[in-house]
Amino acid sequence: MLPTVAWKDDRVVMVDQRKLPGREVYVELRTAREVARAIEKMVIRGAPAIGVAAAMGLALGVTKSRAKGSAALAAEFYRLCDTMAGTRPTAVNLFWAIDRMKGVFSAAARAGRSPAEIAGIVVAEARRIHDEDVACCRALGAHGAALLPDDGRVLTHCNAGALATGGYGTALGVIRAAVEGGKRIAVYADETRPFLQGSRLTAWELLRDGIDTTIVTDGMAGSLFSGGTIDAVVVGADRIAANGDVANKIGTYTVAVLAREHEVPFYVAAPTSTIDLATADGGGIPIEERNSREVTHVGTSRVAPEGAGVWNPAFDVTPHRFVAGIITERGICRPPYGESLAAACDRA
Ligand code: MRU
């Protein structure tokens, strides 16, 4: 399994995803602020992976704290929660993980635990969040695999793989489970401009598993659909609103419209930690806008003229009417999503 992120001897270790596929470089982070910066700079990315990293970062913050006494430790912990929450606004797993860490911290503090005991408790919770995420990916993979044809050509967008989660992946977890179950799946990976998660990360990790992978640039997807080449689409999600609207990597909406036009099922795979029942619909999901340099440059090379305006939203929202099913660890949610998502979260 790919080592996306790990807790190791009071350090958080992660592969620097900005350097893949050219170089497999691991960074060791020793403070919560270093982890927050790694999330912001996309050393680690992908909604569930961001949640796991944030939890581990907060655990680091408590473990390494020099605060004198419980009150000072609490003040420092909540400041770090705010720092972590300020890194990336769209992936709800970040806020979900922070809330879980706040829950165990405050329960331990209320119970009068010592700072050393609290440190042990928050580290255990961060590791649990990691383990649970991998288990969710495996469970949703098994549910989703049944949806794919025995000989299936599947399009995916961005990277919703092991690298984007604690391990195994959501959309790629579905594909992995189908392949492990004996299905012959050929994957088409959208390049995913501007950060190239599809060509750099999805293709890299699928090829490591020996899964048939073809990269296309985002603008080529229409021709694939019109040529009858795609049997199903599976993507991940950064946040799913209560009505089933899905925020995911910019360009996902375009794929969903194409899938509808060509009568190809469009599935979203995500753990229930990505479902945000407090947000009624996609209009309420904050969409991160990133630095224009991601668009004007490829690596360090400028590929656009100076002076052109740039709009760089990192995510778009796919309305729920385009979504054939939302694959969670609790099973497959179908329309009406208002009911099926609430039921899945209730069981979670
Ligand atoms: O900007 P990123 O790379 O963090 O965006 C990632 C995505 O959009 C993924 O598809 C999503 O987080 C799901 S990951 C299982």
Side-chain angles (χ1 to χ4, degrees), residues 148-156 175 184-189 212 214 224-225 227-234 264-265:
L148 300 185
D150 285 348
D151 276 294
R153 296 155 303 173
V154 177
L155 182 88
T156 191
I175 289 165
R184 287 169 300 280
I185 304 293
V187 178
Y188 285 86
D212 179 349
T214 302
L224 276 183
F225 280 101
T229 309
I230 302 299
D231 301 307
V233 176
V234 190
V264 169

mmCIF file of all heavy atoms in Angstrom, residues 148-156 175 184-189 212 214 224-225 227-234 264-265:
data_model
loop_
_atom_site.group_PDB
_atom_site.id
_atom_site.type_symbol
_atom_site.label_atom_id
_atom_site.label_comp_id
_atom_site.label_asym_id
_atom_site.label_seq_id
_atom_site.Cartn_x
_atom_site.Cartn_y
_atom_site.Cartn_z
ATOM 1 N N LEU A 148 -19.328 -1.783 -11.636
ATOM 2 C CA LEU A 148 -18.541 -1.702 -12.874
ATOM 3 C C LEU A 148 -18.727 -2.972 -13.704
ATOM 4 O O LEU A 148 -18.839 -4.072 -13.159
ATOM 5 C CB LEU A 148 -17.055 -1.496 -12.547
ATOM 6 C CG LEU A 148 -16.715 -0.236 -11.745
ATOM 7 C CD1 LEU A 148 -15.192 -0.091 -11.590
ATOM 8 C CD2 LEU A 148 -17.294 1.027 -12.393
ATOM 9 N N PRO A 149 -18.754 -2.807 -15.032
ATOM 10 C CA PRO A 149 -18.894 -3.990 -15.884
ATOM 11 C C PRO A 149 -17.661 -4.894 -15.802
ATOM 12 O O PRO A 149 -16.583 -4.447 -15.392
ATOM 13 C CB PRO A 149 -19.039 -3.407 -17.297
ATOM 14 C CG PRO A 149 -18.695 -1.973 -17.197
ATOM 15 C CD PRO A 149 -18.669 -1.556 -15.773
ATOM 16 N N ASP A 150 -17.816 -6.158 -16.203
ATOM 17 C CA ASP A 150 -16.685 -7.102 -16.142
ATOM 18 C C ASP A 150 -15.537 -6.656 -17.031
ATOM 19 O O ASP A 150 -14.368 -6.801 -16.678
ATOM 20 C CB ASP A 150 -17.140 -8.506 -16.568
ATOM 21 C CG ASP A 150 -17.960 -9.163 -15.470
ATOM 22 O OD1 ASP A 150 -17.969 -8.624 -14.350
ATOM 23 O OD2 ASP A 150 -18.605 -10.185 -15.753
ATOM 24 N N ASP A 151 -15.898 -6.121 -18.190
ATOM 25 C CA ASP A 151 -14.896 -5.558 -19.101
ATOM 26 C C ASP A 151 -15.226 -4.081 -19.209
ATOM 27 O O ASP A 151 -15.996 -3.695 -20.074
ATOM 28 C CB ASP A 151 -15.003 -6.199 -20.496
ATOM 29 C CG ASP A 151 -14.252 -7.507 -20.545
ATOM 30 O OD1 ASP A 151 -13.020 -7.467 -20.428
ATOM 31 O OD2 ASP A 151 -14.928 -8.557 -20.668
ATOM 32 N N GLY A 152 -14.665 -3.266 -18.339
ATOM 33 C CA GLY A 152 -15.134 -1.887 -18.266
ATOM 34 C C GLY A 152 -14.063 -0.873 -18.585
ATOM 35 O O GLY A 152 -12.912 -1.018 -18.173
ATOM 36 N N ARG A 153 -14.472 0.153 -19.304
ATOM 37 C CA ARG A 153 -13.582 1.285 -19.542
ATOM 38 C C ARG A 153 -14.106 2.434 -18.691
ATOM 39 O O ARG A 153 -15.228 2.905 -18.885
ATOM 40 C CB ARG A 153 -13.560 1.634 -21.025
ATOM 41 C CG ARG A 153 -12.964 0.491 -21.863
ATOM 42 C CD ARG A 153 -13.437 0.511 -23.271
ATOM 43 N NE ARG A 153 -14.899 0.441 -23.369
ATOM 44 C CZ ARG A 153 -15.574 0.570 -24.495
ATOM 45 N NH1 ARG A 153 -14.953 0.771 -25.625
ATOM 46 N NH2 ARG A 153 -16.897 0.506 -24.507
ATOM 47 N N VAL A 154 -13.287 2.832 -17.737
ATOM 48 C CA VAL A 154 -13.744 3.755 -16.692
ATOM 49 C C VAL A 154 -12.935 5.045 -16.754
ATOM 50 O O VAL A 154 -11.699 5.013 -16.754
ATOM 51 C CB VAL A 154 -13.569 3.105 -15.295
ATOM 52 C CG1 VAL A 154 -13.974 4.062 -14.191
ATOM 53 C CG2 VAL A 154 -14.373 1.803 -15.213
ATOM 54 N N LEU A 155 -13.652 6.159 -16.799
ATOM 55 C CA LEU A 155 -12.970 7.465 -16.762
ATOM 56 C C LEU A 155 -12.954 7.980 -15.328
ATOM 57 O O LEU A 155 -13.960 7.888 -14.615
ATOM 58 C CB LEU A 155 -13.704 8.475 -17.654
ATOM 59 C CG LEU A 155 -13.044 9.849 -17.709
ATOM 60 C CD1 LEU A 155 -11.983 9.903 -18.809
ATOM 61 C CD2 LEU A 155 -14.060 10.956 -17.939
ATOM 62 N N THR A 156 -11.822 8.534 -14.916
ATOM 63 C CA THR A 156 -11.763 9.210 -13.617
ATOM 64 C C THR A 156 -11.086 10.558 -13.789
ATOM 65 O O THR A 156 -10.387 10.792 -14.784
ATOM 66 C CB THR A 156 -11.061 8.337 -12.545
ATOM 67 O OG1 THR A 156 -11.257 8.946 -11.258
ATOM 68 C CG2 THR A 156 -9.569 8.183 -12.816
ATOM 69 N N ILE A 175 -12.062 1.046 -8.346
ATOM 70 C CA ILE A 175 -11.380 0.409 -9.484
ATOM 71 C C ILE A 175 -10.481 -0.733 -8.990
ATOM 72 O O ILE A 175 -10.490 -1.836 -9.541
ATOM 73 C CB ILE A 175 -10.581 1.472 -10.267
ATOM 74 C CG1 ILE A 175 -11.570 2.391 -10.996
ATOM 75 C CG2 ILE A 175 -9.582 0.827 -11.232
ATOM 76 C CD1 ILE A 175 -10.964 3.680 -11.523
ATOM 77 N N ARG A 184 -11.867 -6.912 -15.690
ATOM 78 C CA ARG A 184 -10.826 -6.329 -16.550
ATOM 79 C C ARG A 184 -11.192 -4.863 -16.783
ATOM 80 O O ARG A 184 -12.082 -4.557 -17.577
ATOM 81 C CB ARG A 184 -10.744 -7.101 -17.867
ATOM 82 C CG ARG A 184 -10.103 -8.483 -17.703
ATOM 83 C CD ARG A 184 -10.276 -9.331 -18.926
ATOM 84 N NE ARG A 184 -11.694 -9.537 -19.236
ATOM 85 C CZ ARG A 184 -12.470 -10.431 -18.620
ATOM 86 N NH1 ARG A 184 -11.994 -11.220 -17.676
ATOM 87 N NH2 ARG A 184 -13.751 -10.526 -18.937
ATOM 88 N N ILE A 185 -10.539 -4.008 -16.038
ATOM 89 C CA ILE A 185 -10.875 -2.585 -16.082
ATOM 90 C C ILE A 185 -9.748 -1.810 -16.768
ATOM 91 O O ILE A 185 -8.577 -1.960 -16.395
ATOM 92 C CB ILE A 185 -11.065 -2.012 -14.648
ATOM 93 C CG1 ILE A 185 -12.129 -2.808 -13.873
ATOM 94 C CG2 ILE A 185 -11.386 -0.515 -14.694
ATOM 95 C CD1 ILE A 185 -13.548 -2.686 -14.385
ATOM 96 N N ALA A 186 -10.126 -1.020 -17.753
ATOM 97 C CA ALA A 186 -9.172 -0.096 -18.375
ATOM 98 C C ALA A 186 -9.541 1.305 -17.908
ATOM 99 O O ALA A 186 -10.712 1.708 -17.983
ATOM 100 C CB ALA A 186 -9.254 -0.194 -19.892
ATOM 101 N N VAL A 187 -8.569 2.013 -17.386
ATOM 102 C CA VAL A 187 -8.851 3.336 -16.812
ATOM 103 C C VAL A 187 -8.392 4.427 -17.769
ATOM 104 O O VAL A 187 -7.280 4.370 -18.317
ATOM 105 C CB VAL A 187 -8.134 3.507 -15.454
ATOM 106 C CG1 VAL A 187 -8.390 4.897 -14.880
ATOM 107 C CG2 VAL A 187 -8.580 2.425 -14.481
ATOM 108 N N TYR A 188 -9.247 5.414 -17.964
ATOM 109 C CA TYR A 188 -8.862 6.657 -18.640
ATOM 110 C C TYR A 188 -8.733 7.719 -17.559
ATOM 111 O O TYR A 188 -9.683 7.975 -16.820
ATOM 112 C CB TYR A 188 -9.906 7.055 -19.691
ATOM 113 C CG TYR A 188 -9.806 6.172 -20.923
ATOM 114 C CD1 TYR A 188 -10.469 4.950 -20.972
ATOM 115 C CD2 TYR A 188 -9.001 6.544 -21.992
ATOM 116 C CE1 TYR A 188 -10.340 4.119 -22.081
ATOM 117 C CE2 TYR A 188 -8.866 5.716 -23.099
ATOM 118 C CZ TYR A 188 -9.533 4.515 -23.138
ATOM 119 O OH TYR A 188 -9.391 3.698 -24.227
ATOM 120 N N ALA A 189 -7.560 8.287 -17.444
ATOM 121 C CA ALA A 189 -7.286 9.279 -16.400
ATOM 122 C C ALA A 189 -7.193 10.661 -17.030
ATOM 123 O O ALA A 189 -6.289 10.907 -17.835
ATOM 124 C CB ALA A 189 -5.978 8.937 -15.686
ATOM 125 N N ASP A 212 -4.302 -1.149 -16.186
ATOM 126 C CA ASP A 212 -4.264 -0.567 -17.531
ATOM 127 C C ASP A 212 -4.725 0.907 -17.470
ATOM 128 O O ASP A 212 -5.859 1.191 -17.090
ATOM 129 C CB ASP A 212 -5.219 -1.411 -18.392
ATOM 130 C CG ASP A 212 -5.316 -0.929 -19.828
ATOM 131 O OD1 ASP A 212 -4.819 0.168 -20.122
ATOM 132 O OD2 ASP A 212 -5.908 -1.663 -20.637
ATOM 133 N N THR A 214 -4.710 4.877 -19.350
ATOM 134 C CA THR A 214 -4.459 5.764 -20.483
ATOM 135 C C THR A 214 -4.729 7.195 -20.030
ATOM 136 O O THR A 214 -5.807 7.482 -19.490
ATOM 137 C CB THR A 214 -5.399 5.429 -21.659
ATOM 138 O OG1 THR A 214 -5.197 4.062 -22.025
ATOM 139 C CG2 THR A 214 -5.143 6.333 -22.861
ATOM 140 N N LEU A 224 -13.759 10.957 -26.256
ATOM 141 C CA LEU A 224 -13.836 9.586 -25.724
ATOM 142 C C LEU A 224 -15.295 9.161 -25.565
ATOM 143 O O LEU A 224 -15.682 8.064 -25.948
ATOM 144 C CB LEU A 224 -13.180 9.519 -24.343
ATOM 145 C CG LEU A 224 -11.682 9.342 -24.236
ATOM 146 C CD1 LEU A 224 -11.296 9.244 -22.765
ATOM 147 C CD2 LEU A 224 -11.228 8.087 -24.980
ATOM 148 N N PHE A 225 -16.101 10.068 -25.005
ATOM 149 C CA PHE A 225 -17.520 9.741 -24.803
ATOM 150 C C PHE A 225 -18.222 9.580 -26.151
ATOM 151 O O PHE A 225 -18.974 8.632 -26.362
ATOM 152 C CB PHE A 225 -18.216 10.843 -23.988
ATOM 153 C CG PHE A 225 -17.982 10.750 -22.517
ATOM 154 C CD1 PHE A 225 -17.047 11.560 -21.883
ATOM 155 C CD2 PHE A 225 -18.715 9.860 -21.729
ATOM 156 C CE1 PHE A 225 -16.840 11.495 -20.523
ATOM 157 C CE2 PHE A 225 -18.509 9.786 -20.356
ATOM 158 C CZ PHE A 225 -17.565 10.608 -19.748
ATOM 159 N N GLY A 227 -17.098 8.744 -28.917
ATOM 160 C CA GLY A 227 -16.667 7.526 -29.606
ATOM 161 C C GLY A 227 -17.159 6.254 -28.923
ATOM 162 O O GLY A 227 -16.817 5.149 -29.351
ATOM 163 N N GLY A 228 -17.936 6.406 -27.857
ATOM 164 C CA GLY A 228 -18.479 5.227 -27.158
ATOM 165 C C GLY A 228 -17.429 4.476 -26.362
ATOM 166 O O GLY A 228 -17.592 3.287 -26.060
ATOM 167 N N THR A 229 -16.354 5.167 -25.978
ATOM 168 C CA THR A 229 -15.223 4.487 -25.336
ATOM 169 C C THR A 229 -15.387 4.339 -23.826
ATOM 170 O O THR A 229 -14.654 3.573 -23.201
ATOM 171 C CB THR A 229 -13.923 5.273 -25.645
ATOM 172 O OG1 THR A 229 -13.864 5.490 -27.048
ATOM 173 C CG2 THR A 229 -12.669 4.535 -25.219
ATOM 174 N N ILE A 230 -16.300 5.085 -23.226
ATOM 175 C CA ILE A 230 -16.398 5.082 -21.752
ATOM 176 C C ILE A 230 -17.689 4.377 -21.301
ATOM 177 O O ILE A 230 -18.781 4.703 -21.769
ATOM 178 C CB ILE A 230 -16.371 6.533 -21.213
ATOM 179 C CG1 ILE A 230 -15.096 7.262 -21.654
ATOM 180 C CG2 ILE A 230 -16.493 6.550 -19.690
ATOM 181 C CD1 ILE A 230 -13.788 6.648 -21.170
ATOM 182 N N ASP A 231 -17.535 3.424 -20.376
ATOM 183 C CA ASP A 231 -18.687 2.680 -19.847
ATOM 184 C C ASP A 231 -19.190 3.255 -18.522
ATOM 185 O O ASP A 231 -20.348 3.066 -18.162
ATOM 186 C CB ASP A 231 -18.309 1.211 -19.607
ATOM 187 C CG ASP A 231 -17.852 0.547 -20.894
ATOM 188 O OD1 ASP A 231 -18.590 0.613 -21.885
ATOM 189 O OD2 ASP A 231 -16.736 -0.023 -20.889
ATOM 190 N N ALA A 232 -18.293 3.871 -17.776
ATOM 191 C CA ALA A 232 -18.687 4.425 -16.469
ATOM 192 C C ALA A 232 -17.667 5.481 -16.054
ATOM 193 O O ALA A 232 -16.515 5.445 -16.491
ATOM 194 C CB ALA A 232 -18.732 3.322 -15.409
ATOM 195 N N VAL A 233 -18.145 6.420 -15.247
ATOM 196 C CA VAL A 233 -17.252 7.421 -14.649
ATOM 197 C C VAL A 233 -17.278 7.201 -13.139
ATOM 198 O O VAL A 233 -18.356 6.990 -12.562
ATOM 199 C CB VAL A 233 -17.722 8.860 -14.963
ATOM 200 C CG1 VAL A 233 -16.836 9.885 -14.257
ATOM 201 C CG2 VAL A 233 -17.763 9.116 -16.462
ATOM 202 N N VAL A 234 -16.112 7.233 -12.507
ATOM 203 C CA VAL A 234 -16.047 7.226 -11.038
ATOM 204 C C VAL A 234 -15.088 8.324 -10.616
ATOM 205 O O VAL A 234 -13.935 8.362 -11.070
ATOM 206 C CB VAL A 234 -15.550 5.888 -10.446
ATOM 207 C CG1 VAL A 234 -15.751 5.887 -8.930
ATOM 208 C CG2 VAL A 234 -16.270 4.700 -11.056
ATOM 209 N N VAL A 264 -23.933 7.653 -19.915
ATOM 210 C CA VAL A 264 -22.937 6.857 -19.190
ATOM 211 C C VAL A 264 -23.129 7.146 -17.696
ATOM 212 O O VAL A 264 -23.252 8.308 -17.306
ATOM 213 C CB VAL A 264 -21.505 7.260 -19.628
ATOM 214 C CG1 VAL A 264 -20.449 6.648 -18.722
ATOM 215 C CG2 VAL A 264 -21.266 6.863 -21.086
ATOM 216 N N PRO A 265 -23.185 6.116 -16.836
ATOM 217 C CA PRO A 265 -23.386 6.397 -15.399
ATOM 218 C C PRO A 265 -22.196 7.139 -14.792
ATOM 219 O O PRO A 265 -21.046 6.803 -15.051
ATOM 220 C CB PRO A 265 -23.556 5.009 -14.771
ATOM 221 C CG PRO A 265 -22.976 4.047 -15.753
ATOM 222 C CD PRO A 265 -23.103 4.670 -17.122
#
